[in-house]
Amino acid sequence: MNNDSILQVSNYVDGEMDLQQQKDFELQMQGDAELREYVEQYREATIALKTRFKPDASLDGLKQTLGNLNKTHFKAEAKVVSFKSYTRWISGIAAVLILGLIVFNPWKKSLYDEYSTASNMSVSERGEGAQTNLEKAAAFYNKKDYIAAEKLLAKEYAANPNNSMAAYYYGITLIQDKQEAKARGILQQLYQGESAFKYDAAYYMALSYVKQNDKANARKWLKNVPPGTSNYAKAKELEGKL
């Protein structure tokens, strides 16, 4: 929408058009579905704006102050833009911002976060004595400090690549750290093996592609998660969404 169209919509919804302008605009809407949709969205946004914000008690005082400044500092013949116009523009901007929050919803979870199932890393503790790197990594991982966990898991994986637990969670921390390609190399090796993490690795291979919006490869790997495994239901649901 260009600025003129936005102003027209604002004037129409706010009742600022005369009868002929209103008729012309409604005729224009009949042949423009996008314009009709925008009018409806703007109307909903302004309603949301009114319900979320109470009138400012100092508004009348601000009007009076601006009026006095205008009389004192500007010549009588100067063009004066009404305070109502300013408030309409401000309301329009606020409404557009609210509409953006409604449409794009920055607080909504990504598909990766929504379908991530390995929220906790469980390691059997050895009792008294110094913690192992794996135990320390689990503590960081469970606090969602994936960078700290990644460093410790990297050491554990380098020392023992056959440790399937270390490999699995190391792969996940790499995905969290935006190192998807490196994570896939580790997770694919797990999938090709016969450890308890085989199909969990396939699921996270898919999620690594979801994180990069590569739907084709994500669907391909979701099909490698068979019925009866822990992530099968989630895999089928996610495949449907993709």
Side-chain angles (χ1 to χ4, degrees), residues 15-86:
E16 298 293 332
M17 289 182 170
D18 60 35
L19 186 59
Q20 187 57 50
Q21 288 174 326
Q22 183 178 330
K23 287 180 178 178
D24 291 343
F25 187 76
E26 288 173 349
L27 184 63
Q28 182 183 348
M29 280 197 296
Q30 289 178 13
D32 191 335
E34 183 182 2
L35 184 60
R36 291 198 301 273
E37 183 181 357
Y38 188 81
V39 167
E40 188 58 32
Q41 290 173 341
Y42 184 90
R43 184 178 283 118
E44 289 175 2
T46 52
I47 291 170
L49 181 67
K50 289 175 183 177
T51 58
R52 284 167 172 77
F53 297 99
K54 295 179 181 179
D56 188 345
S58 63
L59 184 59
D60 289 337
L62 179 57
K63 287 183 183 179
Q64 183 63 46
T65 301
L66 288 175
N68 292 338
L69 286 171
N70 182 59
K71 291 176 183 178
T72 304
H73 297 289
F74 297 96
K75 294 179 180 179
E77 66 269 16
K79 181 180 179 182
V80 177
V81 179
S82 71
F83 187 83
K84 190 174 184 180
S85 297
Y86 284 119

Side-chain angles (χ1 to χ4, degrees), residues 54-125:
K54 295 179 181 179
D56 188 345
S58 63
L59 184 59
D60 289 337
L62 179 57
K63 287 183 183 179
Q64 183 63 46
T65 301
L66 288 175
N68 292 338
L69 286 171
N70 182 59
K71 291 176 183 178
T72 304
H73 297 289
F74 297 96
K75 294 179 180 179
E77 66 269 16
K79 181 180 179 182
V80 177
V81 179
S82 71
F83 187 83
K84 190 174 184 180
S85 297
Y86 284 119
T87 56
R88 189 171 70 248
W89 273 104
I90 292 169
S91 297
I93 292 169
V96 169
L97 289 173
I98 288 176
L99 180 61
L101 292 177
I102 293 169
V103 173
F104 296 105
N105 194 354
W107 298 284
K108 184 180 179 181
K109 280 186 174 183
S110 67
L111 279 179
Y112 174 85
D113 290 328
E114 185 179 349
Y115 283 90
S116 182
T117 56
S119 55
N120 284 295
M121 180 179 172
S122 179
V123 179
S124 298
E125 297 184 5

